[in-house]
Every structure is written in structure tokens, then in C-alpha cells.
Amino acid sequence: AFSRTVTLLFWLTALCLSLALTRPQWGVMEETVQQRGLDVVIAIDLSTSMRAEDVKPSRIDNAREELAFLVEELKGHRIGLVGFAGSAFLFCPLTLDTDAVELFLDEMTIEAVPVPGTSLGDAIRTAMKTFQLGGESSGGSKVLLLLTDGEDHESQPVEAAKEAAQAGIIIDTVGLGTLGGSEIPDPVSGDVLRDEMGEVVVSKLDGKILEEVSQVSGGTFMRLDASRDGLTSYLKMLKKRQTRALGETVDVRRHERFPIFAGLAAMAFLFALILEEWDKRR
């Protein structure tokens, strides 16, 4: 009789362990969580010069690849998207929905902004309006991340940066391209882009203006090229910035019940060992 009971207890132990490993859950609990984060508007240069291939596979493709990584890592923060060339457009308002941001990021191509040129000043001013549309954000950082090759066409970006600084916006600039520059592929002709005189256009990174824009707003300037670790180091720095309350969210979770079955398995196993030892000593 004892041996049969011991055998049954061992089988019960195995059954309870198997159930515990399936991590059974039933019943729900709600927890109100105060969400904190940054407001980050990403402004991307979509001008023709971003087709240059001095940063492989091209400046624009490299930027979008790095931004996809950055957006994924910034879950829990509000993100907005601005695209600019000769003028600037809001592609995505500030949102906590990173999936939506990634969808809009896919739509940000050079063809998306038909106005030729590069207007850094318009990009900064559009970003300022984006922060205003996002509501008050006192007590935390408002960050504009500006990715461009810096070839501005008389849009007064430094003056715009000073206005942004007065509004509490930090501008971090990322320079795309190399100082030596590169020819610009022309997808229409299949050749390279040429000016009105027929001369080949060479686009070079203008880091000086980007450094000045970041300095007047208390931000930082970095170059994005093959010799750097992408935006990884920037992400670490960004996450050290002061966050603010973004509102409350309700976290709904199911109760984990595996401890019940793990406990029953332990009890059944222990009881089986006791009975087995008792049976040997009889």
C-alpha cells in the first residue's frame, strides 16, 4: 500500500511540475503606472544631396537605418517626425506609438518633399510648432534631433536655434557625409547630378553650421559615418536627459499561478520521500 502511495505521489509531483512549467494564468490585476519620458522630434534632411554615397549605402539610407534602431530603443518616450528639403513638413506629431512612428519613417523618402533645397531654419521652426502642438512639457527635456549634411540655403538656422533655445528646446545635430564629399547620383538620367554649367555637383558635409546650431541650444554635434558606432553613443547620452511625466497608463496583467503548482509538486515530493523512508524502517 505504501509503495503504491509513494508511486502516486511521484506521479503527482511530475504532473504538478509539468503544469507549473506551462505558467498557468487566470484572473487579472490592474496597476496604474506614472509614465515618464522625453519629447523627441526627429528632423530628417530629404534633399537631393542626401543621395550622396560617401556614407554607404547612401546618406539617406544610412540615416533611416540608424533612426529605425533609435525609435525602437525609445519606446516609452514621445517621438515626432519632421522632413525637410527646401521647406519643412510635419510627418508625425509627438506620440508614444513607436509603431506609428516607424510607419511614417518608411514614408520619408527624398521624393516626399518636392521643394528643392535645404532649409535648416524651416526644419527647426516646424519642430518648435510640433512641440507646441504636443502640449506643455515643463520639467523635462524637449529634444530636436537634426540629421542633415548641413548644406543650408540661407534659412537663418542659427537664429532659429536661438529661438528654440528660448523655448527650452535642445538641438542635437548629426552630420551626414564626409568632409571630402561625394557626387550625387541622378536617378532620372542614371548619371550624376550636374549644375547649369554642366559641372558635376559634389556635396560635402558642412559641420560648422551644425556645431553652431547645437552650441547655441545647449545640444551636441556628432558625425555619422563608417568610423562611428552609429547612434548608440548618442542614445546613451539622450537617456540621461531629464524626463517628465507623460501621463498615467493602466497596466493590465494576469495573475501568475505557477507557484501554486510548484508548491504542490514540492509538497508531494517531500511527502513521498517521507513515506518511502518510513516504509523502509518498518
Side-chain angles (χ1 to χ4, degrees):
F2 274 103
S3 61
R4 285 197 299 270
T5 303
V6 169
T7 301
L8 285 173
L9 286 171
F10 280 132
W11 276 109
L12 180 61
T13 299
L15 176 63
C16 288
L17 280 175
S18 299
L19 290 171
L21 289 172
T22 65
R23 293 193 62 181
Q25 300 172 336
W26 65 80
V28 296
M29 58 179 178
E30 294 184 355
E31 182 181 0
T32 302
V33 180
Q34 183 68 48
Q35 195 158 1
R36 299 190 64 85
L38 300 166
D39 280 347
V40 182
V41 173
I42 302 171
I44 311 169
D45 188 345
L46 300 177
S47 62
T48 302
S49 60
M50 291 290 284
R51 285 198 176 98
E53 297 175 352
D54 48 355
V55 178
K56 299 298 182 182
S58 69
R59 294 175 184 175
I60 185 63
D61 289 337
N62 190 276
R64 289 174 59 186
E65 181 180 336
E66 290 296 331
L67 287 176
F69 155 76
L70 186 70
V71 169
E72 186 68 25
E73 292 295 316
L74 285 178
K75 284 185 176 179
H77 302 272
R78 292 205 306 175
I79 304 172
L81 293 175
V82 169
F84 67 96
S87 60
F89 298 92
L90 175 62
F91 279 75
C92 179
L94 285 166
T95 177
L96 287 165
D97 188 350
T98 53
D99 290 335
V101 175
E102 289 172 352
L103 286 174
F104 280 107
L105 185 60
D106 289 338
E107 301 298 319
M108 298 183 76
T109 62
I110 290 174
E111 293 77 16
V113 180
V115 184
T118 304
S119 181
L120 298 180
D122 284 353
I124 295 171
R125 295 181 188 98
T126 301
M128 290 173 65
K129 293 177 183 177
T130 305
F131 285 116
Q132 291 171 358
L133 290 171
E136 292 298 319
S137 58
S138 59
S141 294
K142 292 182 286 187
V143 180
L144 167 58
L145 176 60
L146 189 63
L147 293 98
T148 176
D149 53 27
E151 293 187 332
D152 182 67
H153 294 173
E154 307 300 326
S155 65
Q156 298 181 316
V158 177
E159 287 73 11
K162 290 177 181 177
E163 294 176 23
Q166 291 175 353
I169 299 170
I170 300 169
I171 304 178
D172 295 325
T173 56
V174 176
L176 293 157
T178 60
L179 299 178
S182 171
E183 300 170 345
I184 304 171
D186 186 348
V188 177
S189 67
D191 192 12
V192 294
L193 198 66
R194 297 177 183 272
D195 61 20
E196 295 176 353
M197 303 298 293
E199 298 292 328
V200 174
V201 175
V202 176
S203 173
K204 300 178 181 180
L205 170 65
D206 184 358
K208 183 179 179 182
I209 194 169
L210 296 181
E211 285 189 83
E212 194 171 353
V213 164
S214 61
Q215 284 174 359
V216 299
S217 64
T220 185
F221 165 72
M222 64 174 286
R223 285 175 54 192
L224 187 61
D225 56 38
S227 64
R228 301 298 178 112
D229 61 349
L231 294 179
T232 303
S233 58
Y234 173 71
L235 179 65
K236 293 177 182 177
M237 183 199 68
L238 185 63
K239 288 187 175 181
K240 293 179 182 177
R241 295 256 172 87
Q242 183 183 4
T243 60
R244 73 176 186 92
L246 298 178
E248 294 181 345
T249 59
V250 178
D251 186 16
V252 179
R253 290 179 294 171
R254 291 187 175 275
H255 285 284
E256 294 277 3
R257 303 299 183 178
F258 74 89
I260 297 174
F261 295 98
L264 287 173
M267 291 173 60
F269 184 69
L270 182 62
F271 196 32
L273 291 179
I274 292 172
L275 284 180
E276 190 176 44
E277 187 64 25
W278 190 14
D279 188 34
K280 289 177 181 178
R281 295 185 178 183
R282 283 197 309 161

